[in-house]
Amino acid sequence: MTTHNGSNPRGTAPPGTSLVPVRTPERDGMPVLPLAAPATVVHPVMVWWRTVVVAARALPLVLSFVRDHRSRIVRGDRVPRSPAFHARRAARLVETLGRLGPTFVKLAQLLGARADLVPEPYLAALGTLSDQAPLVPLAAVRRTIAREYGTPADEIFEWFDPAPLAAASLGQVHRARWRGHEVAVKVLRPGVERLVAADVRAAERLLALAERWFPNPHLRGVRNAVREFGVRVWEELDFRHEAANAAAMRANFAGRAGVAVPRVEPSLVRRRVLVMEYMPGTRIDRLQHLVASGRLDAEELVRRVIELYMRMMLIDGFFHADPHPGNLYYQEPPEGATGFGTIVVLDFGMVVPVSRELRRRLARAAFAGIRRDADGLVDGFYALGVADPRADRATMRALVDALLDVAYTKGTTARDRIELLADRVMSTLYDFPVTLPGDLVYFARTAALIEGLGARYDTRFNGVTFASPVALRLRREISAALREPGESELAWLGGEFDVVGAVLTSALGGAMGGAVGDVIGEIAGAVYAAGREIVDLIAGIVGPLVAPRRNGDGAER
């Protein structure tokens, strides 16, 4: 075994150095670091240069949108634009953002969940922007490792794969072997900290200028989103934060079958390098071969992903805020074993805590939606800050009615629902004082992930009706985590039996579903006093029945 200065075997700390992070308060063995302003110093010339570059590349698109705005002022309505024109302009927008580099790729992914700020088809186009980047040369990767550890990579790792496993906008991942274990080594992209710092300042300057010329709530919302991004992105640029997040997430899912979080190697945590357990698998959006061969039930996969995020959002209060298929992998069960395999969760650079009060509001709104309780959902929108406090309640009620009708429209594809939303909802949502608070943006991205995943394997997938039985099955755990002392176990959610009835209504449809739901509600109410076990039994029977069943061609049956 090669040694450093004849005394240091690979896989151990080099002499005179410590591979242990600076001591701070700890969580599950990993340092907990306060979110602070970046220490990166950016020369004003670089900021001005990036401002010029961004402005120059964005100018053609800006002028196109300005023409729309001026025409609206002169004519009193929007300039007529064909759907094909908007599609072409959305494609140019995505291309321009991709050319501007990693900062704008990450920012676009965040805005891709902001239906309150970005209208269709631009919203959908932003969701297609891939977080891929050119490869970092191996020599640059090795230099970063040597600077962070004070010794070459070959003196730390027994083997280091020169070919990267992945190259994203902020970092690059290589496979290696450390102390006999297969590990994944994540290395920050050289120069990305200065680039992000300059780009955020450039974007803020340009948006402030645009808002001065064209003041409106949407530009102000985009500017606030950039400001939020400018704070949160530094968590992703400091791998010590990611290490602490991964350790906490691993503890939350410890002992839960079907979910795995890689183990962090604490002694190898650095600001720009992170070493974690290597977990092979296949991206969850590339499993068609397993579904086609019968080795994987696509419905069960989507159900597990929904439960995973529901637990993070409503039970644990510690939420993986960068949900996209590249951060979720699937491992098949061991050879000879049957059943569902394991979902591997990756990339913990952006994880947000969810306060108990916010979780209570989210839960109430979610169960109101399941019950198709429009008034309850309107109350939820106001409580969550989605509706402007000055917004007229009657208008909000009309908006919620339209949303519920679209969500529960049967036999539609994802594209059908997008068109319905565009026709009946999006114009109101974009023009009305409705906004998505910063702490809800990440949850919206999760909804987009689930809808996209389900539609990949079933063209008629409906995330709302599919997720309802999962929420019902978790309702007691959600209530146990969130109810106040003295509150009835489930009444604070709005009534569990109304929930069951409403799901039956949406599943069976029309008067029949409503009647069956009412009858079951009455029966369940009567037996509740006889014991919770009976209610659990009924829910266990009803839950699978209300989940939409589909044939192999995607049609409901």
Side-chain angles (χ1 to χ4, degrees):
M1 180 178 289
T2 304
T3 61
H4 178 70
N5 291 335
S7 61
N8 177 60
R10 286 176 292 177
T12 62
T17 67
S18 171
L19 297 186
V20 181
V22 176
R23 292 190 61 81
T24 59
E26 293 190 350
R27 174 178 62 199
D28 301 308
M30 295 305 305
V32 179
L33 302 173
L35 182 60
T40 302
V41 177
V42 183
H43 197 283
V45 172
M46 183 176 182
V47 177
W48 279 110
W49 171 245
R50 287 299 294 172
T51 303
V52 170
V53 169
V54 173
R57 291 186 176 173
L59 185 60
L61 283 166
V62 171
L63 291 176
S64 178
F65 285 112
V66 166
R67 282 196 297 271
D68 291 357
H69 179 77
R70 286 185 174 174
S71 176
R72 183 175 183 179
I73 293 175
V74 173
R75 295 160 47 100
D77 58 3
R78 288 190 177 92
V79 63
R81 299 291 198 189
S82 68
F85 173 86
H86 285 294
R88 288 194 302 271
R89 191 162 66 179
R92 290 205 311 273
L93 174 64
V94 168
E95 180 186 3
T96 300
L97 291 169
R99 289 173 56 205
L100 285 172
T103 308
F104 292 92
V105 170
K106 301 295 290 186
L107 183 56
Q109 290 174 341
L110 189 65
L111 291 173
R114 298 297 302 266
D116 57 321
L117 299 179
V118 183
E120 292 288 357
Y122 305 94
L123 188 74
L126 291 177
T128 67
L129 196 58
S130 174
D131 188 13
Q132 296 295 318
L135 298 184
V136 178
L138 181 61
V141 170
R142 290 183 175 275
R143 280 196 300 271
T144 299
I145 291 174
R147 280 198 304 267
E148 291 297 300
Y149 295 126
T151 194
D154 290 341
E155 302 298 331
I156 300 173
F157 302 104
E158 297 150 17
W159 168 75
F160 190 90
D161 192 347
L165 288 170
S169 55
L170 301 183
Q172 186 160 294
V173 181
H174 288 258
R175 191 174 174 183
R177 186 179 298 112
W178 183 71
R179 294 184 177 177
H181 300 291
E182 296 291 308
V183 294
V185 183
K186 186 174 181 178
V187 182
L188 194 68
R189 186 172 287 272
V192 73
E193 294 155 302
R194 286 190 176 85
L195 181 62
V196 168
D199 282 349
V200 168
R201 294 177 194 174
E204 288 178 345
R205 286 180 177 181
L206 291 171
L207 286 170
L209 187 62
E211 190 179 355
R212 190 179 309 161
W213 287 345
F214 309 104
N216 69 73
H218 304 297
L219 264 179
R220 188 159 52 252
V222 171
R223 195 176 172 192
N224 289 336
V226 171
R227 192 174 295 119
E228 168 82 7
F229 170 80
V231 173
R232 289 288 178 191
V233 72
W234 291 99
E235 289 186 350
E236 292 196 74
L237 293 171
D238 187 339
F239 290 162
R240 295 171 298 177
H241 280 285
E242 179 167 353
N245 291 337
M249 193 72 73
R250 180 178 169 86
N252 286 344
F253 285 99
R256 186 166 295 282
V259 181
V261 175
R263 181 186 64 256
V264 173
E265 299 295 347
S267 63
L268 294 178
V269 173
R270 286 293 184 277
R271 183 185 182 93
R272 296 178 181 88
V273 183
L274 176 64
V275 180
M276 304 179 76
E277 173 186 8
Y278 171 67
M279 286 188 167
T282 305
R283 283 173 52 133
I284 59 170
D285 61 342
R286 298 175 182 173
L287 298 169
Q288 289 89 339
H289 62 293
L290 296 181
V291 174
S293 66
R295 289 149 59 192
L296 174 64
D297 181 346
E299 287 192 1
E300 182 64 17
L301 172 70
V302 178
R303 192 175 295 114
R304 297 279 187 126
V305 172
I306 291 173
E307 180 176 339
L308 171 71
Y309 280 99
M310 278 190 184
R311 287 188 177 279
M312 288 190 285
M313 183 192 307
L314 298 177
I315 298 175
D316 298 333
F318 196 64
F319 189 78
H320 189 292
D322 191 16
H324 65 78
N327 288 340
L328 294 173
Y329 277 56
Y330 176 74
Q331 291 181 337
E332 290 192 79
E335 189 173 352
T338 59
F340 190 82
T342 300
I343 295 174
V344 179
V345 187
L346 302 172
D347 196 349
F348 304 93
M350 192 175 288
V351 175
V352 296
V354 189
S355 71
R356 192 163 178 271
E357 182 55 35
L358 177 56
R359 284 183 282 153
R360 283 173 62 88
R361 294 174 184 176
L362 284 166
R364 284 199 185 102
F367 279 86
I370 293 172
R371 294 195 308 273
R372 301 187 71 173
D373 174 4
D375 285 326
L377 194 51
V378 169
D379 291 339
F381 279 7
Y382 280 107
L384 290 167
V386 173
D388 189 302
R390 299 163 297 178
D392 176 64
R393 186 178 178 89
T395 304
M396 285 303 305
R397 171 62 194 258
L399 176 61
V400 166
D401 284 339
L403 285 169
L404 288 174
D405 285 345
V406 171
Y408 285 100
T409 298
K410 290 186 171 298
T412 56
T413 66
R415 181 177 294 276
D416 293 334
R417 288 192 297 279
I418 288 173
E419 291 176 356
L420 285 170
L421 283 170
D423 291 341
R424 301 180 55 188
V425 178
M426 284 304 186
S427 60
T428 303
L429 192 61
Y430 182 70
D431 292 333
F432 196 74
V434 174
T435 187
L436 199 61
D439 51 5
L440 299 187
V441 171
Y442 310 104
F443 307 141
R445 293 179 66 187
T446 301
L449 165 71
I450 290 169
E451 188 74 25
L453 178 64
R456 178 174 293 273
Y457 299 115
D458 181 351
T459 58
R460 296 190 179 275
F461 174 81
N462 185 317
V464 174
T465 56
F466 197 92
S468 296
V470 180
L472 287 172
R473 182 160 48 82
L474 293 177
R475 70 199 185 286
R476 292 198 182 280
E477 290 185 65
I478 294 170
S479 183
L482 298 179
R483 69 187 177 100
E484 299 285 358
E487 281 185 329
S488 173
E489 184 177 26
L490 290 162
W492 70 274
L493 284 174
E496 64 173 316
F497 309 122
D498 288 343
V499 171
V500 174
V503 173
L504 282 170
T505 301
S506 66
L508 300 177
M512 176 183 177
V516 173
D518 290 342
V519 171
I520 288 185
E522 292 295 327
I523 294 173
V527 302
Y528 181 75
R532 297 175 181 171
E533 293 79 5
I534 300 176
V535 177
D536 284 335
L537 177 61
I538 292 176
I541 295 172
V542 170
L545 292 177
V546 300
R549 304 298 298 173
R550 294 171 173 83
N551 298 316
D553 60 359
E556 290 191 10
R557 56 182 174 87

